[in-house]
Amino acid sequence: METFLIRALQLIMSLSLLVIIHEGGHFLFARLFKVRVEKFSLFFDPWFSLFKYKPKNSDTEYSIGWLPLGGYVKISGMIDESMDTEQMKQPEQPWEFRSKPAHQRLLIMVGGVLFNFILALFIYSMILFAWGDSYIPVQKATMGMQFNETAKSIGFRDGDILLSADGEELVRYDGDMLRKVVDAREVTVLRGNEKVSVYIPEEMMQKLMTDSVKFAYYRFPFVIDSIVAASPAQLAGLQKGDSIVALNGSPVAYYDFMNQMDSLRKNKASLQADSLDPHQLTIAYYRAGVADTISLKADASYKIGVTAQSDLAKLLPSVEVKYGFFESFPAGVALGVKTLKGYVGDMKYLFSKEGAKQLGGFGTIGSIFPATWDWHQFWYMTAFLSIILAFMNILPIPALDGGHVLFLLYEIIARRKPSDKFMEYAQMVGMVLLFGLLIWANFNDILRFFF
């Protein structure tokens, strides 16, 4: 429950900031061109609002709605979410949106997207300034990678060190590197002392989207972080800092150790049939660079009473990059542009069967925030969501900013406006599409939660 509340709070805080900035972009451009804004609402407010305030001598009412699905600004003389068609039947007024030149209306409509993108670039810049950047070079992770079953089925092997994709060097394991791998024809890995080529099928991304685990993880040693008192490990003499390197004669990294212990538990009956004690373990380990071997007996649950160190920065060689205040801005812009390009590139998978299944709603969005409060991750995910919000809103779908931009571009080119009736129908169609998409996305969340 605590984890749910922490994630929910982060989600609400992040979305509130993004909505305020987005609608603030529309608001500021509208006021710049002397267009009246009747309402500025954080969240939607059908039937009633949680809070309302209208400053003296102001045309704008500020409110907080009860339905946290976004927000809006009600701009005079515009067909928008409010569907105020009665206002559109009245004569045009000089303070209305519809009375302004097309280029001004265009800037008002792109203001939200523009502000969201600028916000993302600013946040990325400040993250780099405050925390810098750190990553584990894939070629320096000497234990290689641990691959999922789909990756293994096409030729990857646990322990492979990723070198290049179609001749392009692979540096850090992130979303950008994964795209290079799945889009490549040939990936080169170091297996032992030999370079090996793995050929990637065209449908690789679709296969990976059906998996419930990542394409790959860093392999790292099982270094004991703590030991339970009076446990088999303590009684056998294991200590904090010991690095387990083999189990029953087989070399192991962290995941190998966990998988082999699970396998012993599952095969308990067959081992007993062979007159072997499935709980009896032989463990090889290093302590301060010195190798040793011990025997111990796991408990009934196949646990030996140890927890492993999980901070990869302490277990694997990492690169730390620090940025000065002015250096952080070009680096933040580059990171924002790379994130946008990656997200836009991934959109092609949305129209596949597996891509449609991966579409998620508020549950999915909330799950990307950490289970414990972490300002670095909070701001990083807020910047990412700001990129998504900017891109999704500029899509040429009626009811979105992009739909209004599309009709304004038509007006500029054709030198005539679409009729108000057409705009009303387009707005209604767009809203039906958006609500249908919203229902489908949250339905996927429900299916994932229960199944």
Side-chain angles (χ1 to χ4, degrees):
M1 185 63 179
E2 182 181 357
T3 297
F4 171 79
L5 292 176
I6 290 173
R7 282 180 165 155
L9 180 59
Q10 291 180 89
L11 176 62
I12 292 172
M13 285 180 59
S14 180
L15 290 182
S16 297
L17 173 63
L18 298 182
V19 169
I20 289 171
I21 294 297
H22 181 89
E23 301 304 334
H26 295 309
F27 178 86
L28 289 176
F29 275 103
R31 299 306 298 133
L32 177 65
F33 299 127
K34 296 181 171 54
V35 175
R36 183 175 294 174
V37 179
E38 299 174 16
K39 194 168 190 177
F40 189 126
S41 181
L42 171 62
F43 306 145
F44 291 116
D45 55 353
W47 304 297
F48 68 93
S49 299
L50 299 178
F51 170 82
K52 288 182 181 181
Y53 173 67
K54 187 173 184 179
K56 188 177 180 180
N57 300 323
S58 174
D59 297 317
T60 306
E61 177 185 87
Y62 301 90
S63 68
I64 299 177
W66 60 271
L67 189 61
L69 299 181
Y72 67 96
V73 287
K74 187 177 185 309
I75 298 175
S76 294
M78 176 183 172
I79 298 174
D80 56 14
E81 297 91 339
S82 67
M83 294 301 293
D84 186 358
T85 56
E86 290 302 316
Q87 185 183 68
M88 302 302 292
K89 295 176 182 178
Q90 306 302 317
E92 285 189 14
Q93 301 297 327
W95 62 80
E96 289 186 331
F97 176 84
R98 56 180 168 168
S99 69
K100 301 299 179 180
H103 71 277
Q104 291 185 2
R105 285 181 280 133
L106 184 63
L107 287 172
I108 293 172
M109 294 317 306
V110 300
V113 168
L114 179 64
F115 272 44
N116 273 132
F117 190 59
I118 292 174
L119 174 67
L121 300 184
F122 178 74
I123 293 176
Y124 279 135
S125 299
M126 292 301 96
I127 288 173
L128 294 176
F129 173 62
W131 288 283
D133 187 20
S134 64
Y135 64 94
I136 299 167
V138 291
Q139 296 184 27
K140 292 186 178 180
T142 55
M143 299 187 77
M145 307 294 287
Q146 194 95 7
F147 295 92
N148 72 8
E149 292 304 316
T150 297
K152 290 177 182 177
S153 71
I154 66 169
F156 289 103
R157 296 291 177 266
D158 289 340
D160 286 352
I161 298 175
L162 297 166
L163 299 179
S164 63
D166 283 347
E168 184 177 354
E169 184 181 19
L170 300 175
V171 177
R172 61 191 294 174
Y173 182 63
D174 57 11
D176 193 45
M177 194 200 82
L178 180 59
R179 293 181 193 100
K180 291 177 183 178
V181 168
V182 299
D183 290 339
R185 183 176 182 274
E186 177 184 0
V187 173
T188 303
V189 302
L190 184 65
R191 185 174 297 165
N193 295 317
E194 181 184 1
K195 289 185 178 181
V196 177
S197 293
V198 178
Y199 296 94
I200 309 299
E202 290 185 1
E203 69 280 7
M204 183 63 178
M205 182 57 84
Q206 281 77 11
K207 289 183 176 182
L208 289 177
M209 284 191 294
T210 64
D211 297 334
S212 58
V213 294
K214 290 183 179 180
F215 162 71
Y217 298 83
Y218 284 104
R219 279 169 62 86
F220 55 93
F222 192 107
V223 178
I224 297 175
D225 187 54
S226 64
I227 300 180
V228 177
S231 65
Q234 187 185 60
L235 296 175
L238 287 173
Q239 298 177 12
K240 179 178 179 177
D242 290 349
S243 179
I244 296 175
V245 295
L247 176 63
N248 293 342
S250 300
V252 292
Y254 174 84
Y255 293 109
D256 303 318
F257 182 83
M258 302 299 290
N259 291 337
Q260 286 192 35
M261 291 293 287
D262 188 52
S263 178
L264 287 171
R265 180 182 58 79
K266 291 178 179 177
N267 296 321
K268 177 180 178 179
S270 61
L271 290 170
Q272 289 174 329
D274 294 333
S275 300
L276 298 174
D277 185 350
H279 294 273
Q280 191 65 41
L281 308 175
T282 301
I283 293 177
Y285 66 95
Y286 277 93
R287 179 182 297 164
V290 178
D292 201 354
T293 302
I294 61 167
S295 294
L296 57 80
K297 205 167 186 177
D299 65 19
S301 301
Y302 281 84
K303 298 184 185 297
I304 62 173
V306 299
T307 58
Q309 171 67 257
S310 59
D311 187 352
L312 293 186
K314 295 179 180 179
L315 298 171
L316 298 174
S318 61
V319 173
E320 300 282 340
V321 183
K322 297 296 182 182
Y323 294 90
F325 182 74
F326 294 106
E327 293 174 316
S328 68
F329 287 99
V333 170
L335 178 57
V337 170
K338 185 179 82 168
T339 302
L340 176 62
K341 287 173 63 178
Y343 184 76
V344 172
D346 290 343
M347 285 296 292
K348 62 187 175 185
Y349 301 114
L350 179 63
F351 302 100
S352 66
K353 179 180 178 181
E354 292 303 326
K357 291 180 181 178
Q358 297 302 313
L359 189 66
F362 291 103
T364 297
I365 298 172
S367 69
I368 68 177
F369 287 94
T372 57
W373 198 275
D374 184 327
W375 281 111
H376 176 266
Q377 285 301 308
F378 170 79
W379 287 116
Y380 199 91
M381 296 318 304
T382 297
F384 178 61
L385 291 177
S386 196
I387 292 280
I388 294 176
L389 185 60
F391 174 72
M392 294 300 292
N393 263 283
I394 204 61
L395 292 176
I397 298 173
L400 290 178
D401 296 343
H404 290 284
V405 169
L406 178 66
F407 297 136
L408 282 166
L409 291 175
Y410 165 80
E411 179 184 338
I412 292 172
I413 295 170
R415 298 184 181 278
R416 64 187 182 91
K417 292 182 180 182
S419 69
D420 288 346
K421 187 58 68 176
F422 171 82
M423 293 296 292
E424 289 175 24
Y425 288 140
Q427 185 75 15
M428 286 188 288
V429 169
M431 291 178 71
V432 169
L433 288 174
L434 291 179
F435 277 113
L437 187 63
L438 187 65
I439 292 170
W440 172 254
N442 285 283
F443 177 69
N444 279 345
D445 282 349
I446 294 171
L447 289 179
R448 279 190 285 268
F449 180 78
F450 286 105
F451 302 107

